[in-house]
């Protein structure tokens, strides 16, 4: 279950009630039996909220009073004390609960075997209370002593006589020990106890019992904390599958199973998928447990954390603020979850750009943490933000003190992650450098962080940048600005805006390795080398911090690096695309400048953590700056500009404000001589049509001056060198258009468009395309006309059209595809949401003919499949879909498809930020190709086509931003 408190609510059910009074017993004993039955019924029928807990307390108090009247040492007095204590804990009255459970335990006869289960329940509760009160070491000692005694008694029981209560009590002790040890960061011991708890329940309760399912997701949670994410997901999915098949949705284990899987998905780069599970779990909790409960607080907390990961800080903050008082009320002021909710609310405040308010919140959490056992999970979250806020406040001495303290504590932790250690060391170096008024002193650590993140990206298949990585990169960029180091800025931007194809290619490699033992072995060798590098890096940091010899750690790191080079060479021999993606080349200003053509300049924009940064590179200038708006405000303004264009109510004033932030006077001056502007837009800014930026407002009847008027614009997918591999001479045009819709319980062509979700994850089942979801995509009747118009302009005799059922994966094997100069895909593109670990960007083609699925065709041309093609195309044109629609965060939306076509040998892409009319798409594509074939400059060709669309095409509404602005050239 989620945390120690899950145990307490289970403990309240406890052992079977005392038998009802038999004939011949006293009237007092009969009344006592009636009261016990009433108390048990009150618990069974009460909701998990404050009012229910109070009713249960009152019922057991009546039991205690009646038993005490019979005899002060009546056994039901002790039992009632423990039952009352469990509910007092639920109510957050921890001091009373501790006194009550200690009184009950003291009254139990230790030699009485009938007290075995009740004593175990009481000790587990006491351990929980001690842990939440900041006395984790005392909790472990108490629990371990009781567990040893319990095992001795348990071993003496014949297995046939082991009751459910006896087995569950043992399992609860094991679970409680695991949770307390987690709080102390003793991960290996926590894993062992949680596995023992699971095995106890499987053995005595069976695999599909709700309590066994709870142990499955509990074990998944500890595996997650241990960093064993694949195993964690495996156990969490087992829990969900068994809960769905065997458990009533009203049972707590159903919602908890969904919740744990969501936590793991969020931690492995799948926050959108996680959000769905969390929303369902929270709905079940509200329906069956009520909003005034600890479990509901957990749900709020987890959903808030997932929104943090998705960079939706404004959505996260109210959820965390609502959760914090629930934890304080039920668990006490020093509750780890309560502190965590406050810490993450402070983090959201910092990321929203309100660093002064965040500083007060962070100080309060830090002070509370010092009064209790420090949880490293919380410390690593708030420490960097607190230090950075203190530096901005001018309190550099305090910042340096806290940074050194936190780094030392993390070094002492047996299971601190290498990223956390590197981040803490960077923060400590930054604080020291600011205290000494020498910002450049932190440059070495900033470069070391980038080198580490480069290895980390390769090790994790370059998946989405997680919050801690984003915060570290923000700090690196802040250091770069303070030191005027444009190369450092370029390297940080390359990391934070990196291509999404690596994740897609890693998925392909995983699939291929299932049938290719040599490839599987090459991947394993690379993963082992990366793990060795991480371990050696962690030991090097510890040696450097301790002032001891680091020679052994350096030697181990060098050996691991060499092993990685060998593994990479072996991988390249089996799968060159994957090998290229997991080996990254450094990027610097000289490399960027070498890739610029005459009259070209680069503008790179990176929304990071709380800040956003820009880099301008021209033939003779490199300019870096932190933008004047905090990241959250910048993203909100960009979204408002885009949405106003889509909604046909363009906000020119907002577009002018955004232009002033992204292109302040110093930047405009640096770009004065440029004719073509190459733009790298990170994260949410990838969804912004930059041509919409207003440089000068229009007056009266005069239209505004757009950025599209000033420059020929081209978006780029990365800062890497523009060099292409040599392509054979290409000729002709090939178009795939108007594919047959997927079936929806009937004949092909049943798509209705009832649901227009465009996120890749929505259209992938666990092992492939989800035909039912794909059937919801609307048909594209105008796509065929569009493709014919482009082909007519290009030359019918040199064009090949695959329409309807012919627009299939099988037709990609046609020799004309490999030889085409221009490839056109007039179909849906699944790139409108965040990449998930089970999905890739993809183009939707016709569903496979009967039997074609045996060839591996599923109707989706994914990024990793595109990368395996052998293309000569100079142009790839994606129309009839919002093929450049933006992500909420992470890599640019289009980078996966762009990089995929690039790996396959293709050239430049033309895509759209939102759907456009067929006549407009055909006009722009044909006019652009015509101009390019005459003059040879792609960016200027698109600028020419859009200018003619606006001024000379005569098409209805062509001069409106919603018509001309969505087109984007991606290089």
């Amino acid at each position: 279950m989620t945390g120690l408190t899950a145990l307490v609510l289970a403990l309240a059910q406890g052992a079977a009630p005392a038998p009802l009074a038999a004939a011949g017993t006293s009237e007092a004993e009969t009344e006592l039996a009636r009261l016990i039955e009433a108390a048990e019924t009150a618990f069974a029928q009460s909701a998990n909220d404050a009012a229910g807990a109070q009713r249960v307390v009152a019922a057991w108090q009546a039991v205690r009073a009646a038993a005490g009247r019979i005899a002060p040492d009546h056994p039901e007095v002790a039992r009632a004390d423990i039952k009352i204590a469990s509910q007092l804990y639920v109510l957050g009255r921890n001091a009373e609960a501790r006194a009550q459970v200690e009184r009950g335990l003291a009254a139990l006869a230790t030699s009485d075997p009938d007290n075995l289960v009740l004593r175990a329940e009481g000790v587990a509760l006491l351990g929980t209370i001690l842990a939440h009160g900041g006395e984790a070491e005392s909790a472990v000692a108490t629990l371990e002593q009781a567990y040893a005694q319990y095992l001795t008694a348990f071993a003496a029981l014949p297995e046939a006589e082991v009751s459910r209560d006896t087995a569950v009590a043992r399992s609860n002790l094991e679970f409680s020990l695991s949770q307390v040890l987690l709080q102390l960061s003793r991960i290996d011991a926590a894993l062992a106890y949680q596995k023992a708890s699971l095995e106890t329940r499987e053995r005595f309760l069976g695999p599909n019992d709700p309590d066994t399912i709870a142990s499955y997701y509990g074990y998944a949670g500890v595996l997650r904390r241990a960093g064993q994410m694949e195993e964690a997901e495996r156990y969490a999915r087992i829990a969900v599958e068994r809960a769905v098949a065997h458990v009533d949705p009203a049972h707590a284990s159903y919602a908890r199973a969904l919740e744990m899987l969501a936590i793991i998905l969020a931690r492995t780069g799948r926050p959108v998928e996680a959000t769905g599970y969390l929303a369902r779990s929270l709905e079940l909790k509200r329906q069956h447990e009520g909003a005034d409960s600890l479990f509901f607080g957990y749900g709020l907390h987890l959903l808030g954390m997932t929104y943090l990961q998705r960079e939706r800080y404004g959505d996260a903050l109210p959820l965390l603020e609502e959760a914090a008082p629930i934890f304080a009320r039920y668990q006490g002021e020093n509750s780890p979850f309560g502190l965590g909710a406050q810490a993450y609310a402070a983090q959201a405040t910092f990321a929203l750009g309100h660093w002064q308010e965040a500083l007060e919140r962070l100080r309060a959490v830090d002070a509370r943490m010092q009064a209790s056992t420090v949880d490293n999970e919380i410390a690593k979250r708030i420490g960097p933000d607190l230090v950075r806020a203190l530096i901005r406040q001018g309190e550099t001495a305090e910042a340096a003190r806290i940074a050194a303290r936190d780094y030392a504590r993390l070094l002492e932790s047996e299971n601190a992650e290498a990223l956390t250690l590197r981040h803490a060391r960077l923060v400590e170096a930054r604080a020291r450098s600011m205290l000494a008024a020498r910002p450049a002193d932190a440059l070495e650590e900033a470069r070391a962080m980038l080198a580490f993140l480069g290895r980390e990206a390769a090790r994790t298949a370059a998946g989405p940048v997680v919050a801690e990585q984003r915060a570290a990169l923000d700090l690196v960029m802040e250091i770069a600005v303070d030191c005027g180091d444009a190369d450092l800025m370029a390297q940080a931007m390359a990391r934070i805006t990196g291509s999404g194809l690596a994740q897609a290619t890693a998925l392909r490699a995983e699939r291929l390795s299932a049938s290719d033992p040599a490839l599987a072995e090459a991947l394993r060798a690379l993963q082992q080398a990366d793990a060795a590098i991480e371990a050696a890096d962690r030991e090097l940091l510890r040696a450097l911090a301790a002032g001891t010899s680091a020679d052994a750690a350096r030697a181990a790191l060098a050996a691991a690096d060499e092993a990685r080079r060998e593994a990479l060479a072996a991988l390249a021999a089996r799968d060159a695309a994957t090998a290229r993606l997991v080996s990254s080349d450094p990027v610097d200003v000289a490399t960027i400048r070498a890739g610029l053509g005459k009259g070209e300049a680069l503008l790179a924009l990176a929304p990071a953590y709380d800040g956003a940064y820009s880099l301008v590179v021209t033939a003779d200038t490199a300019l870096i700056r932190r933008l004047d708006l905090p990241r959250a405000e910048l993203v909100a303004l960009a979204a408002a500009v885009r949405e106003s264009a889509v909604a046909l109510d363009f906000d020119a004033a907002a577009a002018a404000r955004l232009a002033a932030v992204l292109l302040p006077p110093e930047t405009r001056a640096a770009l004065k001589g440029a004719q073509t502007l190459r733009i790298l837009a990170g994260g949410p800014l990838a969804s912004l049509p930059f041509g919409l930026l207003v440089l000068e407002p229009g007056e009266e009847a005069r239209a505004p001056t757009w950025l599209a008027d000033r420059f020929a614009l081209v978006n780029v997918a990365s800062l890497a060198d523009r060099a292409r591999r040599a392509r054979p001479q290409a000729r002709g045009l090939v178009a795939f258009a108007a594919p047959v819709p997927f079936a929806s319980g009937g004949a092909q062509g049943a798509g209705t468009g009832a649901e227009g979700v465009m996120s890749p994850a929505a259209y992938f089942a666990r092992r492939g395309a989800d035909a039912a979801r794909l059937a919801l995509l609307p048909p594209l009747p105008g796509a065929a006309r569009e493709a014919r118009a482009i082909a007519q302009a290009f030359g019918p005799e040199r064009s090949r059209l695959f329409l309807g059922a012919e627009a299939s994966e099988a037709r990609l094997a046609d020799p004309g595809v490999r030889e085409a100069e221009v490839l056109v895909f007039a179909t849906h593109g699944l790139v409108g949401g965040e990449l998930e670990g089970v999905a890739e960007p993809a183009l939707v083609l016709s569903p496979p003919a009967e039997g074609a699925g045996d060839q591996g065709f599923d109707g989706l041309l994914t990024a990793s499949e595109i990368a395996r093609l052998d293309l000569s195309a100079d142009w790839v044109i994606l129309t009839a879909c919002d093929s450049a629609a933006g992500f909420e965060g992470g890599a640019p939306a289009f980078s996966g498809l762009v990089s995929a076509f690039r790996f396959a040998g293709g050239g430049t892409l033309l895509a759209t930020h939102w759907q456009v009319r067929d006549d407009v798409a055909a006009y722009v594509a044909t006019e652009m190709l015509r101009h390019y074939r005459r003059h040879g400059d792609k960016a200027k060709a698109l600028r020419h086509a859009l200018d003619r669309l606006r001024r000379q095409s005569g098409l209805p509404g062509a001069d409106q931003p919603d018509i001309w602005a969505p087109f984007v050239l991606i290089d």
Side-chain angles (χ1 to χ4, degrees):
M1 292 187 179
T2 308
L4 288 165
T5 305
L7 171 67
V8 177
L9 296 181
L11 290 176
Q13 298 177 61
L20 296 179
T25 58
S26 69
E27 184 177 338
E29 289 286 357
T30 300
E31 174 63 11
L32 176 60
R34 186 189 66 77
L35 291 172
I36 291 172
E37 184 176 9
E40 295 289 351
T41 301
F43 176 83
Q45 295 178 351
S46 69
N48 290 327
D49 57 15
Q54 288 167 348
R55 284 193 293 271
V56 176
V57 166
W60 280 107
Q61 284 175 336
V63 170
R64 190 183 193 283
R69 286 193 293 271
I70 296 173
D73 59 351
H74 194 288
E76 290 301 329
V77 172
R79 180 165 179 257
D81 279 332
I82 292 172
K83 298 297 185 181
I84 292 168
S86 70
Q87 297 302 312
L88 291 174
Y89 175 81
V90 169
L91 290 167
R93 293 156 60 180
N94 289 7
E96 295 175 64
R98 178 174 176 175
Q100 194 106 20
V101 74
E102 287 177 337
R103 183 165 60 244
L105 287 170
L108 287 177
T110 56
S111 59
D112 187 350
D114 291 338
N115 291 333
L116 180 65
V117 172
L118 186 57
R119 175 170 291 280
E121 293 172 3
V123 171
L125 174 60
L126 178 59
T128 300
I129 294 170
L130 289 171
H132 280 153
E135 300 179 51
E137 293 288 0
S138 296
V140 170
T142 299
L143 288 165
E144 285 184 333
Q145 180 183 16
Y147 182 58
Q149 294 171 349
Y150 194 91
L151 283 185
T152 300
F154 192 92
L157 292 173
E159 185 161 334
E161 295 182 15
V162 175
S163 68
R164 178 186 182 90
D165 289 335
T166 307
V168 169
R170 170 179 166 171
S171 176
N172 284 345
L173 281 171
E174 291 159 341
F175 172 80
S176 188
L177 270 164
S178 174
Q179 295 300 299
V180 177
L181 289 164
L182 269 184
Q183 188 174 332
L184 293 170
S185 297
R186 289 163 57 181
I187 305 297
D188 290 343
L191 269 173
Y193 276 115
Q194 185 63 51
K195 186 64 181 296
S197 177
L198 170 58
E199 290 171 347
T200 297
R201 295 190 184 192
E202 271 202 313
R203 178 181 174 188
F204 294 102
L205 307 185
N208 299 323
D209 187 275
D211 284 343
T212 304
I213 291 169
S215 282
Y216 265 95
Y217 60 70
Y219 187 51
V222 184
L223 286 166
R224 176 189 68 83
R225 289 289 296 270
Q228 299 179 33
M229 303 307 291
E230 289 185 9
E231 275 293 279
E233 182 175 347
R234 185 169 75 86
Y235 276 90
R237 288 195 181 276
I238 290 172
V240 169
E241 289 164 5
R242 291 184 180 176
V244 171
H246 302 286
V247 177
D248 186 334
H251 194 284
S253 289
Y254 195 107
R256 305 304 178 273
L258 299 174
E259 198 168 66
M260 180 53 68
L261 179 56
I263 294 170
I264 293 165
L265 291 170
R267 285 293 300 270
T268 51
R270 288 165 283 176
V272 175
E273 189 179 352
T275 303
Y277 283 109
L278 285 174
R280 174 60 175 151
S281 174
L282 202 59
E283 176 188 342
L284 290 171
K285 290 180 180 183
R286 187 188 299 276
Q287 181 180 354
H288 299 294
E289 299 171 19
D292 183 20
S293 71
L294 265 175
F295 285 139
F296 193 74
Y298 289 134
L300 292 169
H301 182 271
L302 289 169
L303 188 55
M305 293 292 293
T306 304
Y307 279 135
L308 280 183
Q309 185 175 350
R310 293 176 65 181
E311 303 171 56
R312 291 174 56 173
Y313 304 113
D315 291 325
L317 184 56
L319 294 170
L320 295 166
E321 288 178 329
E322 184 180 354
I326 293 177
F327 293 127
R329 183 161 64 252
Y330 287 109
Q331 295 181 332
E333 292 299 320
N334 290 326
S335 157
F337 275 99
L339 283 173
Q342 293 177 54
Y344 304 139
Q347 185 183 36
T349 306
F350 186 88
L352 285 167
H354 310 315
W355 65 265
Q356 290 174 312
E357 179 186 349
L359 177 57
E360 296 308 310
R361 290 176 180 253
L362 291 163
R363 283 188 202 270
V365 175
D366 187 68
R368 294 263 301 283
M369 285 180 61
Q370 305 321 305
S372 64
T373 303
V374 175
D375 187 315
N376 283 331
E377 189 72 20
I378 300 174
K380 78 177 185 181
R381 285 277 190 168
I382 72 163
D385 291 351
L386 176 56
V387 170
R388 293 182 70 185
L390 286 167
I391 290 172
R392 293 177 192 177
Q393 184 76 3
E395 299 182 35
T396 52
E398 179 67 358
R401 181 189 71 81
I402 290 175
R405 179 201 70 192
D406 288 352
Y407 182 42
R409 283 178 175 169
L410 286 168
L411 286 169
E412 292 171 1
S413 171
E414 68 181 52
N415 213 55
E417 297 173 353
L419 171 60
T420 300
L421 287 172
R422 271 289 170 199
H423 193 189
R425 184 174 174 87
L426 174 62
V427 170
E428 197 263 344
R430 171 67 166 171
R432 280 190 288 103
S433 73
M434 298 305 288
L435 179 61
R438 296 193 302 269
D441 288 357
L443 280 172
E444 181 179 352
E445 287 302 328
R447 295 188 184 106
M449 172 58 81
L450 286 178
F452 171 82
L453 289 175
R455 295 192 298 268
E456 184 76 358
R459 187 173 69 84
T460 58
V465 177
V466 300
E468 190 174 2
Q469 292 172 331
R470 190 170 294 279
L473 286 166
D474 192 301
L475 180 52
V476 169
M477 289 189 278
E478 188 174 79
I479 292 168
V481 170
D482 284 353
C483 299
D485 193 326
D487 284 340
L488 183 66
M489 178 65 79
Q491 291 156 17
M493 282 190 164
R495 184 62 53 210
I496 207 167
T497 60
S499 169
L501 178 63
Q503 191 178 14
T505 301
L507 289 166
R508 174 174 64 88
E510 182 181 347
R511 287 197 295 268
L512 291 175
S513 66
S515 57
D516 186 341
L519 176 58
E521 180 56 35
L523 286 169
R524 277 194 298 271
L526 185 62
Q527 291 164 355
Q528 290 168 0
D530 286 328
I533 287 174
E534 181 177 356
D537 190 69
R538 190 164 50 239
E539 292 309 310
L540 178 60
L541 288 176
R542 287 197 167 98
L544 291 172
T548 57
S549 174
D551 292 346
R554 287 195 175 96
L557 188 58
D561 275 329
E562 178 60 29
R564 188 178 196 280
R565 281 190 288 272
E566 293 175 0
L568 196 59
L571 180 60
R574 302 299 307 180
D575 188 51
T578 299
R580 288 175 62 190
L581 285 163
V582 298
S583 57
S584 56
D585 296 323
V587 176
D588 55 25
V589 171
T591 303
I592 296 169
R593 190 169 281 146
L596 295 177
K598 184 179 179 180
E600 289 186 337
L602 173 91
L603 171 64
L605 300 164
Y609 179 51
D610 74 307
Y613 300 84
S614 69
L615 165 68
V616 175
V617 179
T618 68
D620 52 14
T621 302
L623 177 67
I624 60 176
R625 63 180 291 119
R626 182 182 173 108
L627 299 179
D628 292 338
L629 275 185
R631 178 202 176 281
E633 293 181 33
L634 175 68
V635 170
L637 181 58
V641 171
R642 175 193 160 103
E643 289 164 9
S644 71
V646 177
L648 310 182
D649 186 22
F650 183 65
D651 190 340
R657 289 197 302 274
L658 183 58
V661 173
L662 299 179
L663 299 162
E666 186 181 12
T667 299
R668 298 189 194 197
L671 296 172
K672 187 174 181 180
Q675 299 172 341
T676 299
L677 188 59
R678 299 174 62 80
I679 300 172
L680 173 66
L685 291 185
S687 65
L688 176 68
F690 281 86
L692 281 176
L693 295 182
V694 174
L695 299 181
E696 295 179 13
E699 297 178 1
E700 298 179 357
R702 187 170 63 86
T705 299
W706 311 97
L707 190 67
D709 295 323
R710 170 65 181 82
F711 298 104
L713 300 174
V714 55
N715 284 57
V716 297
S718 74
L719 289 177
D721 192 342
R722 291 169 66 183
R724 310 275 202 276
R725 67 177 175 86
R727 291 194 299 272
Q729 183 65 38
R731 60 183 184 274
L733 175 147
V734 173
F736 290 78
V740 173
F742 277 67
S744 179
Q748 301 288 5
T752 64
E755 186 174 345
V757 180
M758 297 299 288
S759 170
Y763 298 101
F764 281 75
R766 182 68 182 159
R767 300 186 181 276
D770 185 340
R773 296 284 293 182
L774 288 164
L776 298 175
L777 292 170
L780 298 169
R785 292 193 302 271
E786 183 183 317
R788 290 190 182 101
I790 297 173
Q792 182 66 33
F794 189 86
E797 72 285 354
R798 294 180 296 147
S799 301
R800 179 73 184 275
L801 303 183
F802 294 109
L803 307 177
E806 291 283 288
S808 66
E809 287 183 275
R811 287 299 187 182
L812 289 166
D814 188 286
V817 174
R818 178 172 53 83
E819 299 168 357
E821 177 187 355
V822 179
L823 274 177
V824 178
F825 291 90
T827 181
H828 288 292
L830 303 184
V831 294
E834 293 180 87
L835 284 175
E836 298 287 8
V838 295
E840 313 173 37
L843 299 173
V844 181
L845 299 179
S846 291
E850 188 174 351
D854 297 338
Q855 303 173 48
F857 299 144
D858 59 6
L860 288 180
L861 180 60
T862 64
S864 61
E865 290 168 339
I866 292 168
R868 300 177 68 191
L869 299 174
D870 183 14
L871 302 178
S872 304
D874 195 31
W875 286 94
V876 178
I877 298 175
L878 309 178
T879 65
C881 59
D882 50 343
S883 47
F887 283 15
E888 295 182 21
F894 43 75
S895 66
L897 290 175
V898 174
S899 298
F901 280 109
R902 185 71 44 76
F903 268 76
T908 302
L909 267 75
L910 176 70
T912 58
H913 281 292
W914 53 80
Q915 273 195 300
V916 297
R917 294 197 324 244
D918 300 330
D919 58 342
V920 172
Y923 183 92
V924 170
T926 55
E927 194 64 38
M928 179 188 68
L929 290 173
R930 183 180 296 115
H931 189 277
Y932 173 69
R933 291 167 70 84
R934 292 175 181 172
H935 303 284
D937 187 299
K938 294 179 178 177
K940 290 180 180 177
L942 177 60
R943 183 184 183 189
H944 165 83
L946 294 179
D947 186 69
R948 286 183 65 87
L949 172 69
R950 290 163 56 193
R951 294 179 170 87
Q952 300 179 35
S953 70
L955 295 177
D959 60 341
Q960 296 302 307
D962 64 292
I963 299 296
W964 63 263
F967 293 93
V968 57
L969 200 65
I970 309 165
D971 201 3

